[in-house]
Amino acid sequence: MNPQFNTRKERLSLFQKLFPQRSEQTKTAADLSIVMCPSCNHPISQYDLNAQAHVCPGCRYHFPLGVQERLSTLVDPKSFKELYRSANSLKINTFPDYDRKLHKAQELTGLKEAVACGIAEIDGEKIALGIMDSRFIMGSMGQIVGEKITRLIEVATKKKLPLVILTASGGARMQEGVLSLFQMAKTSAALARFDEAGGFYITVLTHPTTGGVSASFAMLGDIILAEPKALIGFAGRRVIEKTINQQLPESFQTAEFLLERGFVDRIVDRTALRQTLGQLLKLHRRHA
Amino acid sequence: MSPQKAWDRVQAARQPNRPKAMDLIPYLIDHFIELSGDRHYGDDQALLGGLGSFEGQPITILAQSKGRDLQENMSRHFGMMHPEGYRKAMRLAKQAEKFKRPILCLVDTAGAYPGLGAEERGQAEAIAASLKLFATLKTPVITVVLSEGGSGGALALSVCDKLYMLENAIYSILSPEGFASILWKDESRAAEAAELMECTAQDLYAKKLIDGIIPEPAQGFASGIPDVVAQIKDLLRQDLNTLGSLKETVLLDRRYAKYRQIGARV
Ligand SMILES: [Zn+2]
């Protein structure tokens, strides 16, 4: 890219920061509705919440995000081109009540599955991007989630794009049994090839990242970021408490706990995530 | 295959007289030498690692190792590995790659150890790293599931070129009890859960997740293990022969394809 273009782009982004598109006049009724922070009970208007990347200004509690909300806080406007959008787990498994659960999750999230994948830009840097939604059956990984993630990794490998995945998952999806378990091997194998091809991979661990997702693609980033206080771990707290017969500390399996023990590179407040990712991506530009 | 109930197989898989790694290794491998430690933290006895020779050929063994009595099981955590166990396995796997010897993995675990120390030392990272390492390890890997293959803790040693299960072994995302307690909040419905889970060797074979089923003696293992040993040896001989003659890139492309094709396609 030529330097002039870069200067102009920087100026434009400065402009956009100084004059945000949402002005006082365009506040809607929904914007004015008040949300209580579940962590500190601080009242926040929906407008402020949107403007603050869904983080409580009082206690920095990070509200769970849907894919659209996440995109609006993270990527350059209108840059996200979704891939495999219609891929759907419906009717691939006869587990009792499973289709009803899927329908419900689809209605709730507007997604067909627990991950959205695509090509996007962050601060002008083109990336392959995966975003998981914890509200979709706990963000669990079934066959379609595993397949979409694997396809995304393969696209990133082929197009030599950096890969960014935001994880939010309770683990492998039990309704799809052992086939969902093996998605851990499938996604990890694709990442091994991406790695050998010199690909750059960032994971952002968000609340919660546990079980089979933490023990596969979530922990395989070249750089691993985490949102504050996110629950991150392999085994469930109750299972561990039952095994060792003692109560675990409150801080157990939080992002801070992992940072202290060396399993996370940085904890990044959501309002700074876009900037941090942009910097990291720029430092890993591939020389053509 | 006899039309047994899944729950019967789960119970068979948990019989204490089933052959364990330490029972099989002396029959499968000559001059076995145990190697210990992950070089970072400690030695996890839930993973028995080492090398020896199989019919004259050097081979590395990575075996999840249940004990034969309570005391052995306490020191081996019933075959449930800690991160240092996975890191020991990875160290020995890389060593095998360096010295161009194949690897035999024996899977025998209800799952990775769920504990405070295990989480503190990065259980998730250790399993993930293992899955990734074996995916591109430049030497043939053959895995046999002896009894239980439980969750990611078993999968970490199941990324291989040939994956087999004993006839009554099971492979599952979590135990039938755990499954029942999540699904119905009632552990006692484990038998019902086992049927739904499709976790038997026969189920996995039907789903093309494994390459073959190793028959067990009709009267159970009270009659001894020579039959099973002979069958594992036959498979090993055959596979080492074919896998060993493949070009490295072909071996790795096939291994990738083996895992790539699992599950529904977009
Ligand atoms: Zn708050």
Side-chain angles (χ1 to χ4, degrees):
Chain A
M1 253 183 271
N2 74 52
Q4 255 185 330
F5 177 79
N6 278 337
T7 327
R8 250 183 296 154
K9 215 174 67 180
E10 268 163 39
R11 217 177 297 152
L12 179 69
S13 72
L14 191 68
F15 240 78
Q16 283 167 338
K17 263 180 225 159
L18 289 171
F19 306 102
Q21 279 161 320
R22 283 164 167 275
S23 66
E24 288 295 316
Q25 286 80 357
T26 59
K27 274 189 190 173
T28 64
D31 283 337
L32 294 172
S33 67
I34 298 293
V35 184
M36 303 298 271
C37 169
S39 173
C40 72
N41 275 322
H42 187 83
I44 319 154
S45 77
Q46 190 63 53
Y47 179 84
D48 287 338
L49 202 57
N50 291 344
Q52 304 250 9
H54 300 257
V55 176
C56 169
C59 71
R60 309 310 295 165
Y61 171 76
H62 285 48
F63 283 76
L65 286 189
V67 168
Q68 282 314 317
E69 294 159 323
R70 173 66 76 177
L71 285 169
S72 72
T73 70
L74 193 66
V75 305
D76 300 352
K78 297 195 182 133
S79 71
F80 184 67
K81 305 278 178 291
E82 188 168 356
L83 298 168
Y84 336 118
R85 187 184 166 73
S86 57
N88 200 326
S89 289
L90 280 170
K91 309 260 179 290
I92 65 171
N93 187 295
T94 54
F95 197 85
D97 217 26
Y98 182 37
D99 268 6
R100 194 189 57 83
K101 260 205 158 86
L102 282 165
H103 274 296
K104 234 175 96 184
Q106 290 178 344
E107 259 170 49
L108 177 74
T109 60
L111 302 171
K112 289 277 189 283
E113 250 303 341
V115 66
C117 295
I119 306 297
E121 286 180 26
I122 292 181
D123 209 2
E125 303 293 320
K126 198 171 172 187
I127 57 167
L129 176 66
I131 300 174
M132 302 187 83
D133 190 329
S134 65
R135 301 168 309 166
F136 197 107
I137 316 185
M138 283 289 284
S140 54
M141 171 161 65
Q143 299 166 64
I144 297 293
V145 170
E147 177 71 15
K148 283 175 81 172
I149 298 258
T150 305
R151 292 277 292 260
L152 183 72
I153 299 164
E154 288 175 339
V155 164
T157 312
K158 207 167 143 203
K159 300 197 167 173
K160 299 194 186 323
L161 290 174
L163 173 67
V164 178
I165 300 181
L166 288 89
T167 60
S169 175
R173 186 173 296 168
M174 58 184 266
Q175 288 87 350
E176 293 183 30
V178 74
L179 283 172
S180 59
L181 178 68
F182 273 71
Q183 301 304 312
M184 293 168 66
K186 181 161 108 179
T187 52
S188 302
L191 282 170
R193 295 203 146 194
F194 180 65
D195 194 22
E196 288 199 337
F200 175 47
Y201 176 33
I202 306 177
T203 51
V204 182
L205 314 182
T206 76
H207 181 80
T209 296
T210 61
V213 166
S214 74
S216 60
F217 58 87
M219 281 294 168
L220 293 174
D222 294 297
I223 291 177
I224 302 179
L225 307 177
E227 288 198 335
K229 301 207 172 108
L231 172 74
I232 305 161
F234 181 61
R237 170 185 280 264
R238 273 189 310 161
V239 178
I240 298 171
E241 285 181 335
K242 215 173 128 186
T243 310
I244 63 175
N245 209 5
Q246 69 184 71
Q247 280 237 315
L248 293 161
E250 190 66 25
S251 66
F252 183 65
Q253 291 181 328
T254 57
E256 292 74 14
F257 176 94
L258 269 87
L259 180 75
E260 214 170 274
R261 284 157 186 83
F263 291 100
V264 161
D265 285 289
R266 290 180 76 80
I267 294 176
V268 182
D269 191 280
R270 193 182 286 156
T271 51
L273 184 59
R274 183 194 156 98
Q275 193 197 4
T276 305
L277 288 175
Q279 282 176 347
L280 290 170
L281 290 166
K282 285 188 197 329
L283 290 168
H284 287 83
R285 272 190 192 146
R286 287 210 201 182
H287 301 285
Chain B
M1 241 10 101
S2 58
Q4 266 190 326
K5 291 247 186 239
W7 183 241
D8 296 332
R9 297 207 190 266
V10 172
Q11 284 178 310
R14 291 171 176 175
Q15 284 298 311
N17 70 350
R18 283 182 78 78
K20 297 170 184 55
M22 58 175 88
D23 302 322
L24 293 169
I25 288 171
Y27 292 98
L28 291 172
I29 305 298
D30 298 319
H31 320 295
F32 179 72
I33 301 171
E34 186 177 355
L35 301 172
S36 309
D38 70 343
R39 299 295 188 270
H40 294 284
Y41 176 82
D43 183 50
D44 182 359
Q45 289 284 300
L47 182 93
L48 176 59
L51 52 96
S53 77
F54 174 74
E55 299 182 344
Q57 182 183 2
I59 187 168
T60 289
I61 311 294
L62 303 172
Q64 288 171 335
S65 193
K66 287 182 180 168
R68 280 172 288 211
D69 53 42
L70 186 65
Q71 201 184 350
E72 273 183 1
N73 266 323
M74 295 301 277
S75 66
R76 294 185 184 277
H77 296 118
F78 294 84
M80 294 189 287
M81 288 163 65
H82 278 71
E84 49 274 22
Y86 293 107
R87 291 179 187 130
K88 169 162 81 170
M90 285 188 270
R91 179 177 77 82
L92 297 176
K94 279 186 257 183
Q95 192 182 77
E97 180 184 56
K98 176 180 173 185
F99 295 109
K100 302 194 188 311
R101 52 178 176 254
I103 299 173
L104 171 66
C105 294
L106 300 176
V107 166
D108 193 3
T109 189
Y113 190 83
L116 178 62
E119 295 291 319
E120 284 184 318
R121 298 194 290 280
Q123 190 72 287
E125 189 276 342
I127 292 170
S130 186
L131 293 170
K132 184 181 166 195
L133 175 81
F134 278 95
T136 50
L137 197 75
K138 298 173 186 67
T139 196
V141 184
I142 296 152
T143 296
V144 179
V145 184
L146 302 181
S147 63
E148 290 175 282
S151 94
L155 195 66
L157 292 183
S158 304
V159 176
C160 56
D161 302 299
K162 293 283 178 184
L163 179 56
Y164 300 103
M165 290 173 73
L166 293 199
E167 186 183 345
N168 288 317
I170 57 166
Y171 211 120
S172 61
I173 185 167
L174 76 173
S175 70
E177 287 80 3
F179 201 90
S181 100
I182 292 175
L183 199 61
W184 303 299
K185 315 241 175 299
D186 183 0
E187 270 194 25
S188 68
R189 291 171 73 180
E192 222 175 308
E195 299 298 328
L196 276 176
M197 288 170 73
E198 303 182 313
C199 60
T200 66
Q202 297 69 30
D203 292 323
L204 268 84
Y205 190 71
K207 291 178 194 298
K208 298 194 173 73
L209 291 170
I210 60 171
D211 297 282
I213 297 172
I214 300 170
E216 296 181 13
Q219 333 61 321
F221 286 106
S223 61
I225 60 170
D227 277 4
V228 162
V229 168
Q231 289 177 81
I232 297 176
K233 278 186 155 179
D234 285 347
L235 288 170
L236 260 180
R237 189 180 310 119
Q238 190 184 304
D239 289 339
L240 292 180
N241 217 338
T242 39
L243 298 171
S245 68
L246 295 177
K247 269 175 62 182
E248 205 172 270
T249 49
V250 177
L251 178 76
L252 294 184
D253 282 349
R254 285 193 191 171
R255 194 183 302 156
Y256 187 71
K258 178 176 166 65
Y259 291 87
R260 182 64 190 85
Q261 54 83 28
I262 291 173
R265 306 304 288 261
V266 173

